[in-house]
Amino acid sequence: MIHVYLGAFLLSDAGNVQAGYVSDDLKVAQIMLVLAAGLFIPALAKSGLRPAIAALVAGLGAGLLLAASPGAPRVLPALLIGISALLGLGVAMRFRTSGTLSFLIILLIGIAFGFACVPFNACFPAALCLAATNLIAGAGAMICLSFLVSGLLTEKAPAWRAIALRIAGSWIVAIAVLLIAVSWQAITL
């Protein structure tokens, strides 16, 4: 997945100063959100991954439009890490829901990620290429991970796969809590 981000970075005209920048904290928060959402979305997609992916893409577009609007606030990395912690907790606790609530949760995941894809100090249209590559790389990784996790958790799968998924969710929570603690410590010092 890091190779995808590096490839996207190289293709995104990242040397252009007018395109803005994505801070290191926000990059880590985006990767955490991609991992957490990729593990969490298959648990919500009882009617199949296609409607879930449609909700995710709709949320990504809405988040990107919100972020590109004039006067929009910038996303704090701690917010994305907090969302990642909640999603990781949902994976670890086997949170399941169906219907409209699952659609709304997936839509909100997309909005949060789409909102975080627009670089800081962005001057449009120069920043459009960087924002698009952030969005495409992150959404592509999220969708691929969702399909991988749903393939691992088939009806006849061994029990250890579900346990491994719960462990991965708890690791995401632990990493998110540590990242929040380190960022909080850096602010207070």
Side-chain angles (χ1 to χ4, degrees):
M1 183 169 15
I2 298 209
H3 298 297
V4 172
Y5 274 106
L6 288 176
F9 177 77
L10 293 174
L11 295 173
S12 67
D13 196 25
N16 187 352
V17 177
Q18 290 183 346
Y21 67 93
V22 178
S23 69
D24 293 336
D25 294 342
L26 190 58
K27 288 176 192 171
V28 170
Q30 286 176 340
I31 291 172
M32 287 290 296
L33 185 63
V34 164
L35 289 173
L39 294 175
F40 190 68
I41 287 174
L44 296 178
K46 294 202 181 217
S47 62
L49 278 178
R50 291 183 195 269
I53 300 303
L56 180 69
V57 169
L60 289 168
L64 190 61
L65 287 175
L66 286 173
S69 64
R74 295 294 167 221
V75 173
L76 297 174
L79 176 67
L80 290 182
I81 292 172
I83 292 171
S84 301
L86 289 174
L87 294 176
L89 190 62
V91 170
M93 295 179 63
R94 288 186 172 172
F95 178 77
R96 306 241 190 263
T97 185
S98 61
T100 308
L101 184 60
S102 64
F103 178 79
L104 287 175
I105 291 171
I106 294 170
L107 190 70
L108 289 175
I109 292 169
I111 289 172
F113 190 78
F115 201 72
C117 283
V118 174
F120 292 121
N121 300 332
C123 293
F124 286 94
L128 192 58
C129 192
L130 183 59
T133 51
N134 279 340
L135 189 72
I136 291 168
M142 211 180 295
I143 291 168
C144 289
L145 189 57
S146 295
F147 276 108
L148 177 70
V149 169
S150 67
L152 286 175
L153 296 177
T154 59
E155 293 290 326
K156 297 180 181 180
W160 66 266
R161 289 184 184 174
I163 294 169
L165 185 64
R166 293 181 73 185
I167 291 171
S170 66
W171 275 82
I172 288 175
V173 172
I175 293 169
V177 169
L178 286 173
L179 286 172
I180 290 172
V182 167
S183 66
W184 190 315
Q185 182 182 12
I187 290 172
T188 59
L189 291 179

